[in-house]
Amino acid sequence: MLGLTLLTLIGLRHLVFMPLLGWGSAWGIYLFLLNERPRLTGILALLLLIQGGVAVMQFWQQGDLGLRVLGEYSLDPTVEGVSVLWARDHPWLRAYGLTGHPNMLGALLASLLLLLLPELSRGQGWPQRGIALALSVGFLGLLVSFSRAAWLGFAGGVLVGLGRTSRWTLLPFLLGLLCLIPYRDLAGSRWAERDSRIEQRSMMERLRDVSLAIEIIQQHPWAGVGVGRYLEVARARQPEALIVHNVPLLVGAELGFLGLACWLWLMRAGFLALSGREPPVGPWLSLLVIGLFDITLWPTTGIRNALLFALLAAPLAIHLEESALGNEG
Protein backbone atom coordinates (compact mmCIF):
# COMPACT_ATOMS: atom_id res chain seq x y z
CA MET A 1 0.00 0.00 0.00
CA LEU A 2 2.80 2.38 0.87
CA GLY A 3 4.59 1.63 -2.40
CA LEU A 4 1.46 2.24 -4.45
CA THR A 5 0.77 5.47 -2.57
CA LEU A 6 4.31 6.77 -3.13
CA LEU A 7 4.19 5.82 -6.81
CA THR A 8 0.88 7.66 -7.10
CA LEU A 9 2.45 10.82 -5.65
CA ILE A 10 5.57 10.48 -7.80
CA GLY A 11 3.52 9.79 -10.92
CA LEU A 12 1.27 12.84 -10.67
CA ARG A 13 1.74 14.88 -13.84
CA HIS A 14 -0.59 17.55 -12.49
CA LEU A 15 -2.78 18.00 -9.41
CA VAL A 16 -5.44 15.29 -9.48
CA PHE A 17 -7.67 15.34 -6.43
CA MET A 18 -9.49 12.00 -6.66
CA PRO A 19 -6.44 9.69 -6.41
CA LEU A 20 -5.05 11.81 -3.55
CA LEU A 21 -8.37 11.83 -1.71
CA GLY A 22 -8.76 8.13 -2.39
CA TRP A 23 -5.45 7.03 -0.92
CA GLY A 24 -5.77 9.57 1.90
CA SER A 25 -9.19 8.20 2.84
CA ALA A 26 -7.99 4.61 2.54
CA TRP A 27 -5.01 5.23 4.84
CA GLY A 28 -7.14 7.11 7.38
CA ILE A 29 -9.74 4.35 7.72
CA TYR A 30 -7.11 1.60 7.50
CA LEU A 31 -4.99 3.01 10.34
CA PHE A 32 -8.05 3.76 12.47
CA LEU A 33 -9.29 0.18 12.15
CA LEU A 34 -5.81 -1.23 12.69
CA ASN A 35 -5.16 0.75 15.88
CA GLU A 36 -8.60 1.09 17.47
CA ARG A 37 -10.11 -2.30 16.51
CA PRO A 38 -13.75 -1.04 16.71
CA ARG A 39 -16.72 -3.42 16.54
CA LEU A 40 -18.42 -2.78 13.21
CA THR A 41 -21.09 -5.48 13.30
CA GLY A 42 -24.01 -3.09 13.85
CA ILE A 43 -22.81 -0.60 11.23
CA LEU A 44 -22.25 -3.30 8.61
CA ALA A 45 -25.66 -4.83 9.29
CA LEU A 46 -27.36 -1.41 9.01
CA LEU A 47 -25.61 -0.68 5.71
CA LEU A 48 -26.70 -4.03 4.32
CA LEU A 49 -30.30 -3.44 5.38
CA ILE A 50 -30.41 0.06 3.84
CA GLN A 51 -28.58 -0.60 0.58
CA GLY A 52 -30.07 -4.06 0.10
CA GLY A 53 -33.58 -2.90 0.98
CA VAL A 54 -33.47 0.06 -1.40
CA ALA A 55 -32.05 -2.16 -4.15
CA VAL A 56 -34.80 -4.76 -3.79
CA MET A 57 -37.53 -2.09 -3.90
CA GLN A 58 -35.97 -0.45 -6.96
CA PHE A 59 -35.99 -3.74 -8.79
CA TRP A 60 -39.48 -4.59 -7.59
CA GLN A 61 -41.04 -1.40 -8.93
CA GLN A 62 -38.53 -0.96 -11.79
CA GLY A 63 -37.72 2.62 -10.90
CA ASP A 64 -36.29 4.87 -8.23
CA LEU A 65 -37.91 5.47 -4.84
CA GLY A 66 -37.60 9.25 -4.89
CA LEU A 67 -34.81 9.25 -2.30
CA ARG A 68 -32.90 12.14 -3.91
CA VAL A 69 -31.92 13.53 -0.51
CA LEU A 70 -30.03 10.27 0.18
CA GLY A 71 -28.24 10.39 -3.16
CA GLU A 72 -30.51 8.06 -5.12
CA TYR A 73 -30.35 8.50 -8.89
CA SER A 74 -33.37 9.05 -11.10
CA LEU A 75 -33.91 5.58 -12.55
CA ASP A 76 -36.04 4.85 -15.59
CA PRO A 77 -35.17 1.68 -17.54
CA THR A 78 -36.42 3.26 -20.78
CA VAL A 79 -33.98 6.18 -20.57
CA GLU A 80 -30.62 5.91 -22.35
CA GLY A 81 -27.71 5.72 -19.94
CA VAL A 82 -29.55 3.86 -17.16
CA SER A 83 -28.05 0.41 -16.62
CA VAL A 84 -30.45 -2.33 -17.68
CA LEU A 85 -30.50 -5.91 -18.90
CA TRP A 86 -32.67 -7.28 -21.70
CA ALA A 87 -35.09 -10.14 -21.05
CA ARG A 88 -38.70 -11.03 -21.90
CA ASP A 89 -38.58 -8.58 -24.82
CA HIS A 90 -38.06 -5.44 -22.74
CA PRO A 91 -35.40 -3.76 -20.59
CA TRP A 92 -35.17 -4.48 -16.86
CA LEU A 93 -33.67 -2.03 -14.42
CA ARG A 94 -30.61 -3.27 -12.56
CA ALA A 95 -30.76 -2.05 -8.95
CA TYR A 96 -28.51 0.88 -8.02
CA GLY A 97 -29.28 1.15 -4.29
CA LEU A 98 -27.90 4.46 -3.07
CA THR A 99 -24.81 4.21 -5.28
CA GLY A 100 -23.91 5.49 -8.72
CA HIS A 101 -24.02 2.18 -10.59
CA PRO A 102 -25.21 -1.43 -10.13
CA ASN A 103 -21.61 -2.66 -10.26
CA MET A 104 -20.74 -0.33 -7.40
CA LEU A 105 -23.74 -1.60 -5.45
CA GLY A 106 -22.72 -5.20 -6.13
CA ALA A 107 -19.13 -4.65 -4.98
CA LEU A 108 -20.34 -2.85 -1.84
CA LEU A 109 -22.83 -5.57 -0.88
CA ALA A 110 -20.47 -8.45 -1.69
CA SER A 111 -17.79 -6.89 0.54
CA LEU A 112 -20.15 -6.17 3.44
CA LEU A 113 -21.72 -9.64 3.24
CA LEU A 114 -18.35 -11.37 3.45
CA LEU A 115 -17.22 -9.14 6.31
CA LEU A 116 -20.40 -9.76 8.31
CA LEU A 117 -20.84 -13.47 7.56
CA PRO A 118 -18.44 -14.74 10.30
CA GLU A 119 -20.43 -12.80 12.91
CA LEU A 120 -23.48 -14.97 12.27
CA SER A 121 -21.88 -18.01 13.90
CA ARG A 122 -20.68 -15.96 16.89
CA GLY A 123 -23.90 -14.22 17.91
CA GLN A 124 -26.85 -15.67 19.80
CA GLY A 125 -30.51 -14.82 20.20
CA TRP A 126 -31.84 -11.60 18.74
CA PRO A 127 -28.44 -10.24 17.64
CA GLN A 128 -27.96 -13.39 15.59
CA ARG A 129 -31.43 -13.03 14.05
CA GLY A 130 -30.68 -9.40 13.21
CA ILE A 131 -27.46 -10.40 11.46
CA ALA A 132 -29.29 -13.14 9.55
CA LEU A 133 -31.91 -10.61 8.41
CA ALA A 134 -29.23 -8.14 7.29
CA LEU A 135 -27.42 -10.88 5.37
CA SER A 136 -30.64 -11.98 3.68
CA VAL A 137 -31.63 -8.48 2.58
CA GLY A 138 -28.09 -7.65 1.51
CA PHE A 139 -27.84 -10.84 -0.52
CA LEU A 140 -31.11 -10.10 -2.30
CA GLY A 141 -29.73 -6.65 -3.11
CA LEU A 142 -26.58 -8.25 -4.50
CA LEU A 143 -28.66 -10.54 -6.72
CA VAL A 144 -30.77 -7.73 -8.20
CA SER A 145 -27.69 -5.65 -8.96
CA PHE A 146 -27.00 -8.29 -11.64
CA SER A 147 -23.29 -7.48 -11.34
CA ARG A 148 -21.35 -10.45 -12.70
CA ALA A 149 -18.08 -9.28 -11.15
CA ALA A 150 -19.69 -8.94 -7.70
CA TRP A 151 -21.40 -12.33 -8.03
CA LEU A 152 -18.08 -14.00 -8.88
CA GLY A 153 -16.25 -12.18 -6.10
CA PHE A 154 -18.86 -13.11 -3.53
CA ALA A 155 -18.98 -16.75 -4.67
CA GLY A 156 -15.19 -17.01 -4.42
CA GLY A 157 -15.16 -15.47 -0.95
CA VAL A 158 -17.90 -17.79 0.31
CA LEU A 159 -16.21 -20.90 -1.09
CA VAL A 160 -12.90 -20.00 0.58
CA GLY A 161 -14.56 -19.55 3.98
CA LEU A 162 -17.05 -22.40 3.63
CA GLY A 163 -15.09 -24.85 5.74
CA ARG A 164 -14.65 -22.31 8.54
CA THR A 165 -18.32 -21.49 9.16
CA SER A 166 -21.22 -23.60 10.36
CA ARG A 167 -23.38 -24.98 7.57
CA TRP A 168 -26.53 -23.18 8.56
CA THR A 169 -24.88 -19.80 8.11
CA LEU A 170 -25.53 -20.25 4.37
CA LEU A 171 -29.28 -20.41 4.98
CA PRO A 172 -29.90 -16.69 4.23
CA PHE A 173 -28.20 -17.10 0.86
CA LEU A 174 -30.14 -20.22 -0.03
CA LEU A 175 -33.38 -18.39 0.75
CA GLY A 176 -32.22 -15.51 -1.43
CA LEU A 177 -31.57 -17.84 -4.34
CA LEU A 178 -35.06 -19.28 -3.93
CA CYS A 179 -36.49 -15.77 -4.24
CA LEU A 180 -34.60 -15.36 -7.53
CA ILE A 181 -36.15 -18.45 -9.14
CA PRO A 182 -39.03 -16.49 -10.81
CA TYR A 183 -36.37 -14.23 -12.36
CA ARG A 184 -33.82 -16.90 -13.27
CA ASP A 185 -34.07 -16.00 -16.98
CA LEU A 186 -32.97 -12.44 -16.10
CA ALA A 187 -29.94 -13.75 -14.26
CA GLY A 188 -29.21 -16.13 -17.13
CA SER A 189 -29.30 -13.26 -19.62
CA ARG A 190 -26.18 -11.79 -17.97
CA TRP A 191 -24.24 -14.93 -18.92
CA ALA A 192 -25.91 -16.58 -21.89
CA GLU A 193 -27.60 -13.90 -24.00
CA ARG A 194 -24.57 -12.83 -26.00
CA ASP A 195 -26.75 -12.01 -29.01
CA SER A 196 -28.61 -9.20 -27.21
CA ARG A 197 -27.65 -5.67 -28.19
CA ILE A 198 -26.97 -4.62 -24.59
CA GLU A 199 -24.65 -7.54 -23.81
CA GLN A 200 -22.86 -7.27 -27.16
CA ARG A 201 -22.17 -3.57 -26.62
CA SER A 202 -20.92 -4.21 -23.08
CA MET A 203 -18.58 -6.97 -24.24
CA MET A 204 -17.24 -4.95 -27.20
CA GLU A 205 -16.57 -1.92 -24.98
CA ARG A 206 -14.68 -4.01 -22.44
CA LEU A 207 -12.57 -5.76 -25.07
CA ARG A 208 -11.78 -2.41 -26.69
CA ASP A 209 -10.69 -0.90 -23.38
CA VAL A 210 -8.55 -3.93 -22.48
CA SER A 211 -6.76 -3.66 -25.83
CA LEU A 212 -6.18 0.06 -25.29
CA ALA A 213 -4.80 -0.52 -21.78
CA ILE A 214 -2.36 -3.13 -23.07
CA GLU A 215 -1.22 -0.73 -25.81
CA ILE A 216 -0.63 2.02 -23.23
CA ILE A 217 1.37 -0.34 -21.00
CA GLN A 218 3.50 -1.40 -23.97
CA GLN A 219 4.24 2.23 -24.86
CA HIS A 220 4.83 3.38 -21.25
CA PRO A 221 6.13 0.24 -19.51
CA TRP A 222 8.26 1.76 -16.74
CA ALA A 223 6.69 4.98 -15.46
CA GLY A 224 3.18 4.65 -16.89
CA VAL A 225 1.18 7.66 -18.00
CA GLY A 226 0.59 8.97 -14.47
CA VAL A 227 -2.33 8.55 -12.12
CA GLY A 228 -5.47 10.27 -13.36
CA ARG A 229 -4.25 10.49 -16.97
CA TYR A 230 -5.41 7.10 -18.22
CA LEU A 231 -8.66 8.32 -19.76
CA GLU A 232 -6.94 11.30 -21.40
CA VAL A 233 -4.34 9.07 -23.05
CA ALA A 234 -6.84 6.37 -24.00
CA ARG A 235 -9.25 8.86 -25.62
CA ALA A 236 -6.42 10.35 -27.64
CA ARG A 237 -6.31 6.93 -29.31
CA GLN A 238 -10.01 6.12 -29.18
CA PRO A 239 -12.46 9.00 -28.44
CA GLU A 240 -15.11 6.62 -27.06
CA ALA A 241 -12.75 4.88 -24.63
CA LEU A 242 -13.78 4.30 -21.01
CA ILE A 243 -11.75 3.45 -17.91
CA VAL A 244 -10.56 -0.13 -18.31
CA HIS A 245 -12.55 -2.47 -16.04
CA ASN A 246 -9.48 -4.24 -14.70
CA VAL A 247 -7.40 -3.05 -11.74
CA PRO A 248 -4.03 -4.59 -12.70
CA LEU A 249 -4.30 -3.16 -16.22
CA LEU A 250 -5.25 0.26 -14.85
CA VAL A 251 -2.38 0.19 -12.35
CA GLY A 252 0.06 -0.98 -15.01
CA ALA A 253 -1.04 1.74 -17.44
CA GLU A 254 -0.86 4.55 -14.86
CA LEU A 255 2.13 3.43 -12.75
CA GLY A 256 4.07 1.10 -15.01
CA PHE A 257 5.63 -2.26 -14.15
CA LEU A 258 6.77 -1.12 -10.70
CA GLY A 259 3.20 -0.23 -9.75
CA LEU A 260 1.99 -3.54 -11.12
CA ALA A 261 4.62 -5.35 -9.03
CA CYS A 262 3.39 -3.52 -5.90
CA TRP A 263 -0.19 -4.53 -6.71
CA LEU A 264 0.83 -8.17 -7.07
CA TRP A 265 2.74 -8.04 -3.78
CA LEU A 266 -0.28 -6.50 -2.05
CA MET A 267 -2.66 -9.14 -3.41
CA ARG A 268 -0.21 -11.81 -2.21
CA ALA A 269 -1.02 -10.83 1.38
CA GLY A 270 -4.30 -12.71 1.23
CA PHE A 271 -2.56 -16.00 0.58
CA LEU A 272 -0.12 -15.38 3.43
CA ALA A 273 -3.12 -15.20 5.77
CA LEU A 274 -4.43 -18.68 4.99
CA SER A 275 -2.90 -20.04 8.18
CA GLY A 276 -4.24 -19.34 11.63
CA ARG A 277 -7.71 -19.27 13.14
CA GLU A 278 -10.55 -17.81 11.02
CA PRO A 279 -8.39 -15.93 8.50
CA PRO A 280 -10.32 -13.13 6.73
CA VAL A 281 -9.32 -14.40 3.30
CA GLY A 282 -12.81 -14.49 1.78
CA PRO A 283 -13.30 -10.69 1.65
CA TRP A 284 -9.78 -10.20 0.29
CA LEU A 285 -10.30 -12.83 -2.42
CA SER A 286 -13.51 -11.04 -3.44
CA LEU A 287 -11.52 -7.81 -3.80
CA LEU A 288 -9.02 -9.62 -6.03
CA VAL A 289 -11.69 -11.29 -8.18
CA ILE A 290 -13.81 -8.16 -8.57
CA GLY A 291 -10.67 -6.21 -9.46
CA LEU A 292 -10.12 -8.45 -12.48
CA PHE A 293 -13.48 -7.38 -13.93
CA ASP A 294 -14.13 -3.93 -12.46
CA ILE A 295 -12.46 -1.05 -10.60
CA THR A 296 -15.17 -0.50 -8.00
CA LEU A 297 -12.87 -1.42 -5.08
CA TRP A 298 -9.73 0.48 -6.07
CA PRO A 299 -8.81 3.55 -3.95
CA THR A 300 -7.86 5.95 -6.79
CA THR A 301 -11.26 5.64 -8.48
CA GLY A 302 -13.46 7.10 -5.74
CA ILE A 303 -13.70 7.84 -2.03
CA ARG A 304 -16.37 5.17 -1.43
CA ASN A 305 -14.14 2.67 -3.23
CA ALA A 306 -11.21 3.71 -1.04
CA LEU A 307 -13.23 3.22 2.15
CA LEU A 308 -14.31 -0.25 1.06
CA PHE A 309 -10.72 -1.13 0.19
CA ALA A 310 -9.62 -0.09 3.69
CA LEU A 311 -12.44 -2.11 5.29
CA LEU A 312 -11.18 -5.20 3.48
CA ALA A 313 -7.47 -4.54 4.03
CA ALA A 314 -7.54 -3.81 7.77
CA PRO A 315 -8.86 -7.21 8.99
CA LEU A 316 -6.23 -8.93 6.88
CA ALA A 317 -3.45 -6.79 8.36
CA ILE A 318 -4.76 -7.43 11.90
CA HIS A 319 -4.80 -11.17 11.25
CA LEU A 320 -1.25 -11.16 9.86
CA GLU A 321 -0.05 -9.14 12.85
CA GLU A 322 -1.69 -11.47 15.35
CA SER A 323 -0.35 -14.53 13.52
CA ALA A 324 3.18 -13.08 13.62
CA LEU A 325 2.89 -12.34 17.34
CA GLY A 326 1.56 -15.85 17.95
CA ASN A 327 4.48 -17.40 16.11
CA GLU A 328 6.91 -15.33 18.15
CA GLY A 329 5.20 -16.44 21.34
Side-chain angles (χ1 to χ4, degrees):
M1 281 179 63
L2 181 59
L4 287 163
T5 305
L6 292 175
L7 287 173
T8 298
L9 294 173
I10 294 171
L12 288 176
R13 302 292 192 269
H14 50 80
L15 189 60
V16 183
F17 287 104
M18 187 53 68
L20 295 176
L21 287 174
W23 275 121
S25 302
W27 275 107
I29 296 298
Y30 173 78
L31 293 174
F32 172 77
L33 295 175
L34 195 62
N35 292 313
E36 300 300 327
R37 314 283 173 97
R39 290 281 295 176
L40 298 177
T41 303
I43 295 175
L44 297 180
L46 183 61
L47 287 172
L48 280 173
L49 286 170
I50 294 173
Q51 292 284 3
V54 170
V56 170
M57 292 304 298
Q58 287 173 344
F59 177 74
W60 179 260
Q61 68 178 37
Q62 285 296 291
D64 60 82
L65 308 181
L67 302 175
R68 303 289 185 276
V69 68
L70 298 180
E72 184 189 28
Y73 280 36
S74 177
L75 303 174
D76 184 342
T78 63
V79 173
E80 183 72 22
V82 175
S83 186
V84 299
L85 55 85
W86 188 267
R88 304 179 189 178
D89 297 323
H90 67 87
W92 289 77
L93 175 71
R94 295 172 58 196
Y96 279 61
L98 300 176
T99 71
H101 194 274
N103 290 343
M104 181 66 245
L105 173 69
L108 169 67
L109 292 177
S111 302
L112 297 180
L113 284 165
L114 290 169
L115 287 170
L116 189 61
L117 180 58
E119 299 298 325
L120 187 58
S121 59
R122 296 169 186 159
Q124 293 181 350
W126 284 107
Q128 190 178 51
R129 296 186 184 97
I131 292 172
L133 175 62
L135 290 170
S136 301
V137 174
F139 183 61
L140 284 174
L142 172 63
L143 292 178
V144 298
S145 74
F146 293 97
S147 171
R148 289 171 294 202
W151 286 354
L152 287 172
F154 176 74
V158 167
L159 289 174
V160 166
L162 195 58
R164 300 181 176 90
T165 57
S166 60
R167 294 178 181 178
W168 73 274
T169 58
L170 298 180
L171 182 60
F173 308 129
L174 295 176
L175 293 176
L177 289 173
L178 288 175
C179 292
L180 191 66
I181 287 178
Y183 302 101
R184 60 188 180 278
D185 55 326
L186 275 67
S189 71
R190 293 292 287 158
W191 304 96
E193 296 295 329
R194 295 300 177 213
D195 56 344
S196 76
R197 180 178 60 86
I198 293 174
E199 295 301 331
Q200 282 185 346
R201 183 177 67 179
S202 174
M203 186 62 66
M204 292 301 295
E205 287 176 349
R206 295 211 174 198
L207 290 175
R208 175 201 66 203
D209 295 330
V210 165
S211 297
L212 280 171
I214 293 173
E215 287 179 18
I216 293 172
I217 293 173
Q218 290 173 339
Q219 294 179 9
H220 305 272
W222 301 112
V225 298
V227 174
R229 292 197 66 235
Y230 174 85
L231 206 53
E232 174 190 339
V233 175
R235 285 181 174 170
R237 292 167 168 77
Q238 171 56 258
E240 296 180 353
L242 301 171
I243 290 286
V244 63
H245 284 60
N246 182 285
V247 170
L249 287 179
L250 178 62
V251 171
E254 291 190 336
L255 299 178
F257 286 157
L258 188 56
L260 190 55
C262 286
W263 178 84
L264 288 169
W265 193 263
L266 179 62
M267 293 302 108
R268 166 182 175 272
F271 300 98
L272 293 177
L274 283 172
S275 61
R277 183 176 178 271
E278 297 185 357
V281 179
W284 191 252
L285 179 63
S286 74
L287 180 145
L288 173 59
V289 172
I290 291 173
L292 297 178
F293 302 97
D294 214 330
I295 56 173
T296 46
L297 293 175
W298 192 242
T300 62
T301 60
I303 294 180
R304 192 194 312 244
N305 304 351
L307 298 181
L308 278 174
F309 177 86
L311 276 174
L312 297 174
L316 190 63
I318 292 171
H319 176 80
L320 289 171
E321 178 185 340
E322 291 176 346
S323 297
L325 292 174
N327 292 333
E328 290 177 4

